[in-house]
Amino acid sequence: MKIKTGIGFDAHRFVEGRKLILGGIEIPYDMGLLGHSDADVLIHAIIDSLVGPALGRDIGNLFPDNDMKYKDIDSRILLKESVSLIRKAGFEISNVDATIIAEKPKMKPFIPEMRSMLADVMDIEIDDITIKATTTEKMGFTGRGEGIAAIAVSTIIKSFRQP
């Protein structure tokens, strides 16, 4: 058995005129995040934490932001494809632990729905995904309310079973 751990990070700035999508759900807010896809920083961080150790690649290699096929795409589709790729490589997800870094909006009310959505998309138990939220106490771009960041750590396992 081989156990690998990966880390992922993503950040996007706020803009008017877009929906705020985090963890695959829409969060009521007067701004959304700017990005080529739906700019779901949480899912993007999770993808990097999974495909890094399994495939030696990152989200930008798999889903380039200069490919119009991915313009405004739902990041849940990207996550589902990423999970499929790591499973084809022989890995299973043990757990995902993620943190959203945002001054506003408050994330706590939305975390249970995010966990449920992500567990469903990744086809893992809800207890195998943890999502936390924090602020930076008004410091930096997230603290000034200019955007949102997320970080994720995942553990994946590859079995070496004999036929």
Side-chain angles (χ1 to χ4, degrees):
M1 175 182 323
K2 183 169 209 127
I3 299 170
K4 292 181 132 189
T5 302
I7 189 166
F9 174 83
D10 197 28
H12 287 273
R13 68 181 174 99
F14 280 124
V15 293
E16 293 183 5
R18 284 189 65 135
K19 294 177 182 178
L20 178 57
I21 309 293
L22 286 174
I25 67 168
E26 184 176 342
I27 296 177
Y29 196 59
D30 59 348
M31 291 185 282
L33 296 171
L34 181 63
H36 185 69
S37 66
D38 63 6
D40 187 329
V41 294
L42 179 57
I43 287 182
H44 295 180
I46 291 170
I47 289 172
D48 271 347
S49 74
L50 293 168
V51 302
L55 307 174
R57 302 177 78 192
D58 65 20
I59 191 171
N61 295 127
L62 296 175
F63 313 109
D65 66 3
N66 59 1
D67 188 333
M68 291 309 291
K69 173 170 53 172
Y70 304 116
K71 179 72 175 140
D72 297 322
I73 195 168
D74 183 330
S75 290
R76 291 176 296 183
I77 295 168
L78 304 179
L79 179 57
K80 194 167 192 76
E81 176 64 21
S82 298
V83 170
S84 176
L85 290 170
I86 70 163
R87 286 193 172 131
K88 284 179 185 169
F91 288 94
E92 285 299 325
I93 301 167
S94 173
N95 70 293
V96 175
D97 184 35
T99 302
I100 301 165
I101 306 157
E103 207 67 36
K104 290 183 183 177
K106 293 298 181 192
M107 299 293 154
K108 186 177 180 179
F110 306 103
I111 288 175
E113 187 179 356
M114 287 181 203
R115 288 180 68 218
S116 178
M117 172 67 68
L118 293 170
D120 185 54
V121 171
M122 291 186 284
D123 192 26
I124 63 174
E125 297 293 322
I126 196 166
D127 289 341
D128 293 332
I129 182 159
T130 308
I131 301 171
K132 302 166 304 294
T134 192
T135 69
T136 55
E137 301 296 329
K138 309 244 186 256
M139 297 181 295
F141 82 94
T142 59
R144 290 188 299 271
E146 296 171 9
I148 296 178
I151 190 165
V153 175
S154 296
T155 302
I156 58 175
I157 300 169
K158 186 173 193 174
S159 281
F160 297 105
R161 296 188 193 135
Q162 298 298 325

